[in-house]
Amino acid sequence: MIEEGVRLFQHLTVAIGVNPNKHPTFGRDERLAMLHDSTRHLRGIQLTSFGNRFLIDYAKEIGATLILRGIRSPADFEFERVMRNINGDLDSNITTVFLMPPRDIAEVSSSMVRGLIGPKSWKTVVRKYVPPPVYSRLLKTFNGRGERKPVA
């Protein structure tokens, strides 16, 4: 999705939203580091994060006129449709653009990847669905049983 965004737009800001109600496997700094390592070959991209605020407000703050969102499934479409309408109510000068991901990653989500970790041969399966920097971080974080390694 990021590669397609870079192809379509002169400049692309990729922002990780930090939701205080969610408890992701990796913290903001780790997620930004993996994103940086996964996109270092791309030009015209800025990586950043924002917390506890609406995406539309962050987009307005950085002067964005477009928000690029991916849709993987009918459930994603319904959620994104509602969010697009709310965002339009909050600021009609910012347009939401939807893209569908390439077929090889169309079903990939963080919760899907987390669900694959644990069973025998999980490493072989997960490797197919995440960029190499993310895979390396997953190997460092989880042991062969899919449990978080103890912090030394």
Side-chain angles (χ1 to χ4, degrees):
M1 293 299 298
I2 294 171
E3 289 175 353
E4 187 69 8
V6 167
R7 190 180 72 72
L8 291 171
F9 306 109
Q10 287 182 351
H11 177 76
L12 185 69
T13 298
V14 179
I16 293 175
V18 179
N19 183 338
N21 296 321
K22 290 189 176 183
H23 304 287
T25 301
F26 300 106
R28 182 196 61 150
D29 292 343
E30 289 175 294
R31 291 160 62 200
L32 278 170
M34 287 185 285
L35 188 56
H36 178 267
D37 292 345
S38 299
T39 60
R40 69 173 68 245
H41 64 287
L42 300 173
R43 300 291 174 252
I45 184 172
Q46 176 187 355
L47 307 177
T48 187
S49 66
F50 65 96
N52 203 22
R53 60 195 300 196
F54 294 121
L55 172 59
I56 194 78
D57 293 333
Y58 182 73
K60 190 181 328 184
E61 179 183 302
I62 66 170
T65 57
L66 299 169
I67 295 174
L68 179 61
R69 301 288 293 179
I71 295 180
R72 299 171 300 210
S73 68
D76 279 358
F77 174 78
E78 189 56 30
F79 174 81
E80 294 295 344
R81 182 189 67 77
V82 170
M83 291 310 304
R84 181 257 164 254
N85 289 338
I86 292 169
N87 286 341
D89 291 343
L90 297 174
D91 190 326
S92 61
N93 295 314
I94 299 177
T95 301
T96 301
V97 176
F98 298 119
L99 291 180
M100 293 181 69
R103 171 63 194 104
D104 59 333
I105 61 167
E107 284 80 26
V108 177
S109 68
S110 59
S111 53
M112 185 275 295
V113 170
R114 277 192 306 271
L116 294 174
I117 295 173
K120 185 177 179 182
S121 75
W122 72 265
K123 296 172 191 170
T124 303
V125 175
V126 169
R127 178 182 292 215
K128 297 175 186 179
Y129 297 109
V130 297
V134 174
Y135 181 71
S136 294
R137 189 67 61 111
L138 288 169
L139 291 178
K140 290 176 187 172
T141 303
F142 294 96
N143 64 28
R145 294 183 308 276
E147 298 168 353
R148 220 180 220 307
K149 288 184 179 178
V151 178

